[in-house]
C-alpha cells in the first residue's frame, strides 16, 4: 500500500520595499508580526527554521514643529534631527529610515527625509527610526530604555519637540547569510520525519531555492526560514 504524507510549510511576511530576493543578504530588514510576504503563500507559520535574537530594537520617533513661519519651522525640525544624529553615537544608538529595509540617516542625507502635515495648518512633523543593538546581555527592555533616554537628551531647537511613537519593532541584518544554517535544520527535521515511517520511506524537499524569510518569534527573537515543501515518499 502506497502512503504519501505531505507537510507543506509556506511563508508569511512581505518582500522588503526596494529589495528583491537576491539582495536581502546585504539588507537590514524590519521584522514585524503581521505581514504576508507573498500574496500566494499560506498565512500559517513554518514549524522549522532558525530562531535567534534580532540584531536591533527599532523605535519610531517623531519631531514636530509649530512655529508660525514655515521656513523657521522647517529649520527647527531639521535642526533637531541634526542634533539627534550628532548625539546618537554617544548614546549607543543609530538613526535610520525606511518601512521594510533600513538606511542610515546621516548629516549628508538627513534633509532628504520628508516633512508631513501635522494636526494643525501651521504645524509639521518628521518621522524617523532609532535603533539600539540587542545582545545576550541587552534585551528589548534595555534597548527601549536606551532609546527613551536618548530621545529625552536630544537638544531642542526653537519650538520643535521630539517623542517616541508606537511599540518597539526589530530588525535583522542580512537574512540570507543564515541560509546554510536553516537548510541544516530542515535536513535534520526531514531525516527525523522520514524515520518515523520506517526504512522504506525517504523524503523529497522542494523550495530551498526560495529566499530566506522572517517573522517575530517571542519578545525580541525572530524566526528565519525558507518556505519549502517536504514530502515523505516510499523508496523505489
Amino acid at each position: 500500500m502506497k502512503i504519501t504524507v505531505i507537510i507543506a510549510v509556506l511563508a508569511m511576511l512581505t518582500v522588503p520595499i526596494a529589495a528583491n530576493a537576491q539582495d536581502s543578504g546585504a539588507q537590514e530588514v524590519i521584522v514585524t508580526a503581521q505581514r504576508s510576504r507573498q500574496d500566494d503563500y499560506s498565512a500559517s507559520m513554518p514549524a522549522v527554521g532558525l530562531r535567534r535574537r534580532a540584531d536591533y530594537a527599532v523605535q519610531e520617533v517623531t519631531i514636530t514643529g509649530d512655529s508660525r513661519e514655515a521656513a523657521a519651522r522647517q529649520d527647527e525640525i531639521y535642526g533637531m534631527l541634526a542634533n539627534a544624529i550628532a548625539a546618537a553615537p554617544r548614546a549607543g544608538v543609530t538613526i535610520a529610515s525606511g518601512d521594510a529595509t533600513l538606511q542610515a540617516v546621516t548629516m549628508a542625507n538627513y534633509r532628504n527625509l520628508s516633512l508631513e502635515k501635522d494636526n494643525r495648518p501651521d504645524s509639521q512633523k518628521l518621522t524617523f527610526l532609532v535603533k539600539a543593538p540587542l545582545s545576550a546581555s541587552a534585551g528589548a527592555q534595555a534597548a527601549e530604555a536606551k532609546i527613551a533616554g536618548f530621545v529625552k537628551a536630544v537638544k531642542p531647537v526653537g519650538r520643535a519637540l521630539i517623542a517616541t511613537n508606537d511599540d518597539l519593532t526589530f530588525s535583522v541584518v542580512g537574512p540570507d547569510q543564515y541560509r546554510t544554517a536553516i537548510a541544516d535544520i530542515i535536513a535534520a527535521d526531514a531525516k527525523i520525519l522520514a524515520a518515523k515511517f520506517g526504512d522504506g520511506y525517504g523524503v523529497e524537499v522542494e523550495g530551498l531555492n526560495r529566499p530566506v524569510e522572517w517573522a517575530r518569534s517571542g519578545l525580541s527573537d525572530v524566526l528565519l526560514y525558507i518556505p519549502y515543501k517536504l514530502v515523505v515518499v516510499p523508496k523505489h
Side-chain angles (χ1 to χ4, degrees):
M1 179 179 178
K2 183 176 179 180
I3 301 175
T4 302
V5 180
I6 300 177
I7 305 171
V9 182
L10 299 177
M12 65 183 295
L13 300 182
T14 51
V15 174
I17 296 173
N20 58 37
Q22 285 70 40
D23 63 13
S24 64
Q27 295 278 352
E28 179 180 357
V29 299
I30 285 284
V31 181
T32 60
Q34 296 180 340
R35 289 188 175 178
S36 176
R37 183 166 181 169
Q38 297 283 356
D39 291 339
D40 58 342
Y41 288 174
S42 167
S44 62
M45 290 297 299
V48 174
L50 174 64
R51 286 177 170 82
R52 65 182 297 275
R53 176 154 286 185
D55 293 315
Y56 291 92
V58 183
Q59 178 78 65
E60 186 179 86
V61 175
T62 297
I63 299 174
T64 58
D66 63 357
S67 290
R68 183 65 59 87
E69 185 182 348
R73 179 171 65 245
Q74 293 168 12
D75 284 344
E76 290 171 359
I77 293 172
Y78 281 119
M80 197 166 189
L81 177 57
N83 286 348
I85 295 169
R90 297 190 298 272
V93 300
T94 307
I95 308 299
S97 66
D99 294 324
T101 59
L102 300 186
Q103 299 82 37
V105 176
T106 68
M107 294 300 293
N109 65 12
Y110 75 102
R111 280 190 172 263
N112 293 337
L113 272 64
S114 299
L115 295 173
E116 301 175 9
K117 292 182 179 180
D118 202 9
N119 53 9
R120 296 195 307 278
D122 59 351
S123 63
Q124 290 176 288
K125 63 182 180 180
L126 183 153
T127 301
F128 58 97
L129 303 172
V130 178
K131 298 166 27 185
L134 298 171
S135 67
S137 59
Q141 290 183 337
E144 187 171 30
K146 178 182 286 189
I147 293 171
F150 162 72
V151 169
K152 289 180 181 179
V154 175
K155 185 178 179 181
V157 178
R159 294 177 58 84
L161 299 173
I162 188 170
T164 58
N165 308 323
D166 300 327
D167 296 327
L168 286 181
T169 187
F170 301 90
S171 70
V172 175
V173 178
D176 272 342
Q177 67 178 299
Y178 301 103
R179 170 176 294 278
T180 300
I182 296 168
D184 289 342
I185 294 170
I186 292 172
D189 181 68
K191 183 177 181 180
I192 292 171
L193 289 174
K196 295 290 185 181
F197 295 90
D199 293 338
Y201 292 88
V203 296
E204 294 179 357
V205 179
E206 300 176 355
L208 293 183
N209 61 316
R210 292 173 178 260
V212 173
E213 303 198 6
W214 47 88
R216 287 277 292 276
S217 177
L219 179 60
S220 57
D221 290 341
V222 297
L223 174 68
L224 301 173
Y225 61 92
I226 300 171
Y228 67 96
K229 179 186 291 186
L230 183 150
V231 183
V232 179
V233 295
K235 293 179 179 178
H236 299 294

